[in-house]
Amino acid sequence: MSASATPTFPPHLLDFQDWSRPQIESLLETARMMQEVLARPVKKVPALTGFTVATVFFEPSTRTRISFELAARRMSADVVSFSGAMSSTTKGETYRDTLRTLEQLGIDAYIIRADAAGVCHQAYRWLGKPVLNAGDGWRAHPTQALLDAFTLLQSLGSLEGRKIAIVGDILHSRVARSNAELLPLLGAAVVACGPATLLPASLPGARLTTDLREALEDADAVMVLRLQKERMDKGLLPSLPEYIAAYQVTQARLGWAKPQAPLLHPGPMNRDVELEGILAEAPQSLVERQVANGQAVRMAVLYHLLVGRKRSEG
Amino acid sequence: MKGEILFRNVRLVDGRGDFGQADVLIGEGRILSLAGGEAPKVVEAKGLVLSPGFCDPHAHLREPGQEVKEDLESGLTAAARGGYTDVVSMPNTQPVVDTPEAVRALWEKARQIGQARLHPAAALTQGQEGQWLSEARLLQEAGAVMLTDDGRTNEEAGVLALGLRYAASWGLVVAVHAEDAGLRRGGVMHEGEVSFRLGLPGNPAYAESARVARDLELLRYALEYAPSVPRLLHIQHLSTRRGLELVRQAKREGLPVTAEVTPHHLTLTDAALASFDPVYKVAPPLRPRADLEALLEGLLEGSIDCIGTDHAPHTPDEKALDLLRAPFGIPNLEVAWPLLYTELVEKQGFPLATLVERFTDGPRRVLGLAPIHLEEGAEASLVLWNPAEARPVDPQAFASKARYSPWAGWRLQGWPGLTLVAGRVVFSASHPELLY
């Protein structure tokens, strides 16, 4: 990678507000190189030797954390992990105190997940070090969107003019928000679909509809979101059977989309709730490939934040 | 004529207008003369403006029980520095101020502190629990000037209707935080384009307007029992265009309703939340620009009677939580006047005397206090301020315990330099010699 061909990067990945198409494309190109590394018998490179990366998960998660930690280790970074849930009644240590404690340990980059939107922005303000958003509330999950884009590009070649349908609880979904920011940057048209009580009144980057058929019709790809059962407790949905009847993505309904349109799901999946169970193993399902790609994408992001960015500045 | 302090060549602006320069003689707690006289202390005040002391119908001073956030001493000192001579404290303390003893204790302590004067508001219902009315008559005798359940929004229409009827019989005003709890849900900012983009739970404008509409209906109902009451319902911190339209219409009908607006709803919009800084988390939330502009119009025409600060201090640590957990509210007693003088009068040509009216006569009318005008014999509760002096807001210098501000670094003019309460100097940055 020559310095001149590499665009400069923001010092963090909080969302895609500060990102341009060339930056994203360069990042995805790096992910392709990382994928080659992961195909080798010895899946390790020295790129991040000497760097210390912290995963700081204020909201429990296993899959995403493992993916990040492995990504960092594959590049020879030292990794420390902090996890501790913050509840509304917790009177103990605040986010800021926790992060300032870690700061004293000489952390070079922070990978943060929290249940409140904006915690990663706050952390960057407090720390002034690279911060990688691993999911903040309903706000953003940028590496998920990057791995979705990476997976879609593998399958479709280009996203230019493609119709991507996202189905489920759009209002509370950081995956939907990040994809609505990212996919249009790469030329795609996003249609977000869900029941009226789980849709915002507007969402930049996406067209909204409550009509599942309208969303799926001629779609080039379909992304199905996990339905959180707690939405029922808050009175936003009358019942699970009704949601399934109206919004479950089934084999029959997938027929509305283009033939062999790839099917994505960020996981973890509620089989037979948002998605007809057998579809998870259908040929067009890319769910497993998403997980594999997640590692390569996260390696690429860490590389850019810690090494590539500085190199291009120099 | 002999007095105690003489302000020479000071410009007089009160709620009635701008009266140009005069030599103002103060003594015996009053304005003795506008035509000079003799005094041991003489202030050459050319270029400075003298106005009646400001009155805030809505401040959270947190005592008793939450002194870590603010107490009477820090809060009333902050008020005096902001040019306020009279402040209404909200009763949502721990315990709630709902007994005559509690009101009297606050009043007595504030008197000894000797900064801005305290006018306690008491709870409309016992414990602010929205069930049983508190002892309005005894609370009034003890010094309460207002009844309110404030942030504990009045969810039971029947209880508020009874409260309005009962308060009317004693000539007390009932203040409401007009937000429907069911519509507001867990919203931490205005529901709209920005909240959808930021992924934060929204609180729709309709939570306010639906509640204002209901409360105006309850007012009409209460008036069937007390038709001639001059003032009864006060709507706190109006924040939406639609809420304002309802108030404007009700005022045209002659209903005894008053309304306030906060400094933050006149100077900040929901776009500020894109920083994810909880310093912008307030209740009701910051709204889009169209609402802000409507509120300015309402303030100008008088549909909105006054500025209420909703000074709501929390500790800096609490405000460094995330946006879901950080508490609602910001301190603003110390910046309200220079902020609105700069942003409204200097930058947008808002008439100065009208703004002074909304800081003085307007809030006093809400509370049933006589206005203070700059004339011989008037009570010398006054503020001397400097329209030319510009300096940035420095929260570290606040008297309030809440040393942060959404306006930190904003360069403002019009800073109060001297505050007198009934002739006594309580704050004097510009003329420290007057303190002794």
XYZ file of all heavy atoms in Angstrom, chain A residues 34 64 114 121 135 140 161 163 224 259 305 312:
80
model
N -6.457 -8.758 4.532
C -6.527 -9.470 5.809
C -7.156 -10.846 5.615
O -6.783 -11.815 6.278
C -7.328 -8.666 6.830
C -6.691 -7.334 7.212
S -5.001 -7.544 7.845
C -4.515 -5.832 8.099
N -19.198 -10.528 19.352
C -18.481 -9.366 18.829
C -17.139 -9.212 19.515
O -16.134 -8.888 18.899
C -19.329 -8.096 19.017
O -20.603 -8.311 18.427
C -18.669 -6.899 18.375
N -21.480 -0.097 24.432
C -22.306 0.374 25.550
C -23.763 0.387 25.115
O -24.066 0.384 23.920
C -21.870 1.771 25.978
N -18.407 8.434 21.449
C -18.075 9.841 21.183
C -17.538 10.495 22.454
O -16.554 11.230 22.428
C -19.307 10.614 20.718
C -19.818 10.211 19.371
N -20.429 9.005 19.145
C -19.799 10.863 18.183
C -20.768 8.933 17.864
N -20.398 10.037 17.263
N -20.556 -0.852 18.994
C -22.001 -0.842 19.197
C -22.363 0.058 20.350
O -21.986 -0.211 21.492
N -25.029 3.119 16.511
C -24.140 2.698 15.431
C -23.425 1.403 15.790
O -23.160 1.124 16.960
C -23.105 3.786 15.137
N -26.366 1.183 -7.434
C -27.746 1.029 -7.895
C -28.485 -0.171 -7.315
O -29.605 -0.457 -7.724
N -30.628 -2.434 -4.699
C -31.643 -2.211 -3.672
C -31.412 -3.199 -2.530
O -31.456 -4.414 -2.742
C -33.046 -2.411 -4.262
C -34.168 -2.308 -3.227
C -35.541 -2.582 -3.832
C -36.631 -2.541 -2.778
N -37.963 -2.868 -3.334
N -31.982 -9.241 7.500
C -33.036 -9.441 8.492
C -32.455 -9.143 9.873
O -31.356 -9.601 10.201
C -33.574 -10.887 8.438
C -34.727 -11.067 9.411
C -34.010 -11.229 7.021
N -33.950 -13.225 -7.921
C -33.557 -14.623 -7.718
C -32.178 -14.705 -7.063
O -31.265 -13.965 -7.440
C -33.523 -15.199 -9.144
C -34.336 -14.257 -9.972
C -34.273 -12.914 -9.316
N -6.539 2.341 12.066
C -6.548 3.285 13.195
C -5.176 3.395 13.845
O -4.772 4.465 14.281
C -7.578 2.852 14.245
C -9.043 3.103 13.895
C -9.932 2.776 15.081
C -9.264 4.537 13.465
N 0.066 7.108 6.547
C -0.365 8.013 5.486
C -0.135 9.468 5.887
O 0.131 10.317 5.049
C -1.838 7.775 5.150
O -2.660 8.119 6.236
